[in-house]
Amino acid sequence: MKVGVALSGGVDSAVALYLLLKEGHEVKAFHMKTKEDEFFIRKEIKKKVCCSPSDTADAMRIAHFLGVEIEIVDVKEIFREKVIEPFKRDLLKGLTPNPCAHCNRFVKFGYLMDYVLNQGFDAFASGHYARIEFSEKYGRKVIKKGVDLKKDQSYFLARIEPWRIERLIFPNGIYTKEEIRKIAEEAGIHVAKKQESQDVCFIPDGSIENFLKDEGITLKDGDIITPEGEVVGRHFGYPLYTIGQRKGFKIEKFGRRYYVRGKIPEKNVVVVSDLEDVFFSGLIAEDPVWHVEVPEEFRCVCRVRKKSEEAPAVVKVKDNEVEVRFEKKVFAVTPGQIAAFYDGDTLLGGAIIKEGIR
């Protein structure tokens, strides 16, 4: 086949490209530029992030080494519209958004994939740790978890449009991370031991406060209160906090361990409570994307964050909302995050969490 590959400059996408070449496909690399190079030069990079100037240089070197054409694709405008601006708006609404999931839906497996397919390519590939397989049960191709469950990235693919699955290839899904690095080393790919990207690419210093300041928004300190309204401390800007967090604020009343229970943006207040009060019996999510046909009510397992444990649940679907009831309470159900639904290792789809049910 003629396959376009999203080449980030890291080891995963490099090996995906290499494996496709070994299979005999006609391959071209595409490298996204989400921000201008000057942005990364100005910023202190505390953790490895993607899309930096060094990544572009690595992508070009990989493509040259493997003998494939590479095209640099400017996605800065669509990235700001679909990822950065919604991220900023959601933070100010008191939500905890998931920019990587939105980038996958609208940019990588949206704009970039369309750009590739419109050039006449048969398929679009990336280095994601997930699998594309035909499901006899659902009668179509589905996304499944990668075999390396520690690196599985299916959660971040929960909201991509279902028709795209037919045109996707994830060569790395059947390998572990260690095996991918070994393949890269044996092939002589220079990024075999390159550090993984760990943070949001447009916040390379890891500071949401600095991000908002660059966007013209100055955070204000405010009260930390209990559900009963008692003031027990001070926070340093409500967008900096997420459900279940227990650090990063100043407590003035001691004797208890407090966890963030919620936020009231219009009052610039963070609400804290005891640990048991940040466990939830269910959630309401909105704007679901289903990769397969689902009934109005079904059982599955649900994951509410990338690193959260999967929870068996009953799901009820009505119009543009999903109600989820867990068998056992789940820690830190967080508005703005993605609820991903699985049938075994098959990804059924995902929705944006609107509120937790206690």
Side-chain angles (χ1 to χ4, degrees):
M1 290 193 297
K2 190 177 179 185
V3 184
V5 181
L7 184 63
S8 68
V11 63
D12 296 331
S13 60
V15 170
L17 191 157
Y18 171 76
L19 292 172
L20 289 166
L21 285 173
K22 279 191 70 176
E23 291 176 7
H25 299 294
E26 180 186 343
V27 178
K28 178 179 175 181
F30 294 84
H31 177 76
M32 295 195 308
K33 296 296 288 184
T34 59
K35 296 283 289 184
E36 62 280 359
D37 286 348
E38 293 77 11
F39 169 80
F40 295 97
I41 295 168
R42 293 195 309 266
K43 286 289 181 182
E44 177 188 5
I45 301 179
K46 291 187 177 179
K47 292 183 180 179
K48 175 72 184 73
V49 295
C50 69
C51 309
S52 68
S54 64
D55 289 317
T56 303
D58 281 334
M60 295 178 73
R61 184 175 169 186
I62 292 162
H64 178 74
F65 175 74
L66 295 176
V68 301
E69 182 184 353
I70 183 170
E71 182 175 346
I72 311 299
V73 184
D74 185 343
V75 299
K76 291 192 285 289
E77 189 173 322
I78 188 77
F79 188 78
R80 170 158 283 278
E81 176 190 345
K82 295 295 187 180
V83 181
I84 296 177
E85 289 296 332
F87 180 81
K88 179 173 65 177
R89 287 196 302 269
D90 285 350
L91 284 175
L92 297 178
K93 289 177 185 175
L95 306 176
T96 302
N98 191 314
C100 295
H102 296 312
C103 178
N104 278 337
R105 179 178 180 178
F106 295 111
V107 185
K108 184 173 290 181
F109 301 105
Y111 180 91
L112 181 65
M113 183 175 179
D114 289 343
Y115 181 81
V116 170
L117 295 181
N118 287 337
Q119 289 192 27
F121 285 83
D122 302 307
F124 181 65
S126 78
H128 278 72
Y129 287 86
R131 293 173 290 154
I132 304 290
E133 293 184 6
F134 183 84
S135 167
E136 294 289 347
K137 179 176 180 178
Y138 294 105
R140 58 161 296 151
K141 283 186 178 180
V142 296
I143 296 174
K144 291 190 172 185
K145 296 175 188 173
V147 298
D148 188 342
L149 295 180
K150 291 183 294 183
K151 294 298 179 184
D152 170 54
Q153 293 172 301
S154 61
Y155 173 82
F156 295 107
L157 304 170
R159 289 181 51 74
I160 68 172
E161 295 170 289
W163 71 265
R164 297 181 182 277
I165 297 171
E166 295 286 337
R167 307 287 292 274
L168 285 175
I169 303 176
F170 296 138
N172 296 6
I174 60 172
Y175 297 99
T176 65
K177 182 74 178 194
E178 290 73 20
E179 288 170 334
I180 291 294
R181 288 198 184 278
K182 186 177 180 182
I183 291 169
E185 201 161 0
E186 290 175 350
I189 298 171
H190 79 284
V191 292
K193 297 181 179 179
K194 185 175 178 178
Q195 185 182 1
E196 290 183 294
S197 298
Q198 297 181 37
D199 234 321
V200 178
C201 65
F202 56 91
I203 311 181
D205 62 359
S207 171
I208 289 176
E209 184 176 5
N210 288 343
F211 162 74
L212 290 172
K213 191 179 294 183
D214 289 346
E215 295 289 318
I217 298 162
T218 302
L219 298 180
K220 295 179 180 178
D221 293 1
D223 286 334
I224 296 176
I225 66 170
T226 66
E228 296 73 36
E230 180 186 7
V231 177
V232 294
R234 299 286 289 175
H235 68 76
F236 306 109
Y238 70 84
L240 304 179
Y241 302 90
T242 187
I243 306 298
Q245 186 171 332
R246 65 180 181 88
K247 295 180 179 179
F249 40 74
K250 183 179 179 183
I251 293 295
E252 296 164 352
K253 185 171 182 178
F254 300 99
R256 295 168 66 187
R257 176 172 283 184
Y258 291 107
Y259 296 78
V260 174
R261 181 187 197 270
K263 299 182 277 188
I264 310 175
E266 59 273 20
K267 295 183 179 180
N268 191 29
V269 162
V270 171
V271 184
V272 295
S273 61
D274 295 323
L275 175 61
E276 58 264 26
D277 206 29
V278 290
F279 278 83
F280 296 79
S281 60
L283 63 86
I284 302 295
E286 57 189 353
D287 192 23
V289 174
W290 300 111
H291 295 169
V292 300
E293 285 190 29
V294 295
E296 290 184 2
E297 183 173 333
F298 61 96
R299 301 186 71 85
C300 69
V301 293
C302 176
R303 191 186 298 172
V304 298
R305 288 206 190 195
K306 166 63 175 79
K307 294 185 178 179
S308 71
E309 289 186 14
E310 291 178 352
V314 174
V315 176
K316 293 181 181 179
V317 183
K318 187 176 181 181
D319 300 326
N320 202 42
E321 278 197 348
V322 179
E323 180 184 315
V324 180
R325 294 285 180 172
F326 303 118
E327 286 185 5
K328 295 181 180 179
K329 287 190 173 184
V330 170
F331 178 69
V333 171
T334 305
Q337 286 289 297
I338 306 300
F341 306 103
Y342 292 87
D343 175 8
D345 61 357
T346 298
L347 179 63
L348 303 178
I352 300 172
I353 298 171
K354 183 179 179 182
E355 60 181 297
I357 300 172
R358 284 186 170 81

